[in-house]
Amino acid sequence: RFHRVNDALGRPAGDEILRQVADRMRTASSADKRLARIGANHFAVVSLETETAEQLARLVETRMAQIFEAPFPVGDRPVAVSARMGIALFPDDGRDAETLMRNAEAAAAKAKVVGEPYLFYSEAMNARIAEQLALEGRLREALAKEEFVLHYQPKVDVLTREVVGLEALIRWQSAGRLVPPMDFIPLLEEAGLILQVGEWAQAQAARDHRALASAGLAPPRIAVNVSAQQLRQRDFVAVVERAATDGGKLAGVDLELTESQLMSDIEGSIVKLAALRKLGVNIAIDDFGTGYSSLAHLAKLPVQSLKIDRSFIAAMDRDSGAKPLIIAIISLAHSLRLKVCAEGVETEAQAQFLALQDCDEMQGYLVSKPLPYEALLEFLRRDADHVRSRTDVATVQAERWSP
């Protein structure tokens, strides 16, 4: 989290932490080690005191605890940071300095992705990283060539089944096929491309919302997912406003953020979300029930709805504990005057249970799979025709029975 130190406390504070890290590394190291700072927040260590990987692993665990276990004092506040380490061994992982450095860096990059404190280099790891780098290059090309597209999954009223909203989902159209989101979204975040792609998604959703209105429809609001990196941007509110505004008018674009994203910086989240609310942007907490938000924090957040994570809906028929959790989430949300949307609804039985519990909205394959724009247009037209026909019938019946 070193970048957050720079963002929150300023670069002098970040520099002070780097100096303290270096001092602790010197203290923890023996005379036969060589240390160097080789990048903004990257250090390299050459160790001569171990002969086996097992010995080195034990040494690394001890040294990492000595260096990072205690917070770093910066001014009058303690700041906790951690590190990831990649390890390459001579001669198996390289017989020259350049190869050893390259392979150690590859292992460190992998450790950061998978969340391990340290990883040893291996040929299989190198192959995976090379594949990831190639994919990252293709993603940069995809952004330049406008290969990303948005598909839309409708959200409907649980009782009437009328469309009340849409969720925009990013898809990658590569070489004539759609690449699954989990194959590229994490890499977008790792490569730092999620900021550009995220802003594009908000702008494209706004354009599509206007296009639906121009087609003679009354389009529902479109929710766009936001990554943790986007939320951390200092100018996040301005980015959203810029992406969704055309000719001074803000399109019907809302945002969905996960519970864990909001709770990582609750006070900062409140300020940013409050500013977005003033612009007329609605906020939903996505994947609710999988994070660790407190009731006190939840009550302070300027959000309008909760989305029950699809894992609870999927477990409804096989896990006796799922239904009470769903009931509790719906009750909690309504007590806070929030709407509730259930994700991943696939069966009529699930929909009926949600209706009995007064759940407000649902989305999932029971309603529709995510649709490209042209298919969405037809879906919304059919929905509008259905609403009109039902309204006409209701009007005739009312006239027939009026005294």
Side-chain angles (χ1 to χ4, degrees):
R1 300 187 302 277
F2 184 72
H3 65 281
R4 293 181 62 187
V5 174
N6 282 333
D7 290 344
L9 304 180
R11 293 193 177 277
D15 291 344
E16 174 58 25
I17 287 178
L18 290 174
R19 282 190 286 269
Q20 291 186 41
V21 168
D23 288 340
R24 290 188 188 183
M25 290 177 73
R26 288 194 194 97
T27 301
S29 302
S30 56
D32 61 351
K33 283 191 176 178
R34 294 170 174 83
L35 313 176
R37 176 168 172 252
I38 59 172
N41 60 339
H42 291 76
F43 291 82
V45 182
V46 178
S47 174
L48 307 177
E49 63 184 283
T50 56
E51 296 183 357
T52 68
E54 290 76 14
Q55 289 176 341
L56 186 55
R58 285 192 291 270
L59 181 66
V60 163
E61 290 176 358
T62 301
R63 295 289 189 260
M64 293 281 267
Q66 290 174 322
I67 298 167
F68 294 102
E69 198 167 58
F72 295 87
V74 178
D76 58 351
R77 70 175 70 188
V79 178
V81 296
S82 59
R84 309 293 183 191
M85 181 180 288
I87 303 166
L89 297 175
F90 174 89
D92 293 346
D93 300 329
R95 291 180 171 274
D96 59 82
E98 182 179 349
T99 303
L100 285 169
M101 281 285 290
R102 183 176 67 248
N103 292 344
E105 287 177 336
K110 185 64 177 179
K112 185 175 180 180
V113 171
V114 301
E116 294 290 341
Y118 63 91
L119 282 180
F120 285 84
Y121 172 81
S122 70
E123 284 296 333
M125 178 189 299
N126 191 45
R128 287 195 301 271
I129 291 174
E131 183 179 347
Q132 283 187 331
L133 290 174
L135 181 57
E136 181 182 325
R138 288 169 58 201
L139 286 171
R140 293 184 186 278
E141 288 183 8
L143 186 59
K145 294 179 180 179
E146 299 181 349
E147 293 180 352
F148 293 109
V149 296
L150 290 182
H151 285 194
Y152 296 94
Q153 188 167 38
K155 293 182 280 189
V156 301
D157 184 283
V158 171
L159 294 177
T160 67
R161 305 292 174 94
E162 294 173 16
V163 177
V164 293
L166 302 168
E167 181 181 1
L169 301 164
I170 298 176
R171 299 290 185 262
W172 178 19
Q173 187 79 40
S174 175
R177 74 181 186 92
L178 283 176
V179 180
M182 289 309 299
D183 287 355
F184 69 91
I185 295 292
L187 193 55
L188 284 177
E189 295 179 340
E190 183 186 340
L193 295 172
I194 196 66
L195 299 180
Q196 295 169 268
V197 176
E199 185 173 353
W200 166 85
Q202 293 166 20
Q204 185 60 47
R207 286 191 289 268
D208 286 345
H209 190 271
R210 297 186 186 98
L212 291 171
S214 298
L217 295 166
R221 298 185 70 85
I222 299 174
V224 181
N225 291 284
V226 173
S227 76
Q229 289 184 38
Q230 290 173 273
L231 184 60
R232 283 197 296 264
Q233 289 177 283
R234 287 173 181 256
D235 60 344
F236 174 66
V237 176
V239 169
V240 174
E241 185 176 14
R242 180 175 66 241
T245 302
D246 181 48
K249 185 177 180 181
L250 199 70
V253 174
D254 297 329
L255 301 179
E256 291 187 5
L257 304 100
T258 66
E259 201 176 350
S260 56
Q261 289 170 6
L262 293 170
M263 295 305 146
S264 65
D265 179 15
I266 185 66
E267 297 303 328
S269 296
I270 290 172
V271 171
K272 291 175 182 176
L273 299 191
L276 288 170
R277 284 297 300 136
K278 290 181 180 179
L279 296 175
V281 176
N282 295 322
I283 313 294
I285 301 182
D286 199 9
D287 300 338
F288 189 79
T290 60
Y292 301 97
S293 59
S294 71
L295 185 58
H297 287 153
L298 189 60
K300 290 194 298 181
L301 284 168
V303 300
Q304 288 66 58
S305 60
L306 304 181
K307 298 188 75 176
I308 302 174
D309 186 67
R310 66 184 63 247
S311 62
F312 296 115
I313 305 302
M316 191 185 296
D317 298 326
R318 53 181 169 79
D319 184 353
S320 60
K323 286 185 177 180
L325 281 173
I326 293 170
I327 294 171
I329 291 172
I330 294 173
S331 177
L332 170 64
H334 287 169
S335 69
L336 295 171
R337 298 183 179 180
L338 303 177
K339 287 190 173 182
V340 187
C341 178
E343 294 183 293
V345 178
E346 297 185 353
T347 68
E348 191 62 41
Q350 293 170 345
Q352 292 298 326
F353 172 79
L354 293 169
L356 288 173
Q357 306 309 321
D358 292 327
C359 184
D360 302 290
E361 302 169 2
M362 65 181 179
Q363 69 181 113
Y365 276 47
L366 177 66
V367 177
S368 171
K369 65 180 181 180
L371 302 169
Y373 177 81
E374 292 300 328
L376 173 70
L377 193 60
E378 291 304 312
F379 183 94
L380 293 178
R381 281 174 176 159
R382 290 195 301 271
D383 180 72
D385 290 342
H386 175 70
V387 172
R388 276 194 297 269
S389 64
R390 192 164 63 182
T391 302
D392 293 342
V393 169
T395 302
V396 169
Q397 289 176 339
E399 293 173 350
R400 182 178 300 168
W401 290 102
S402 62

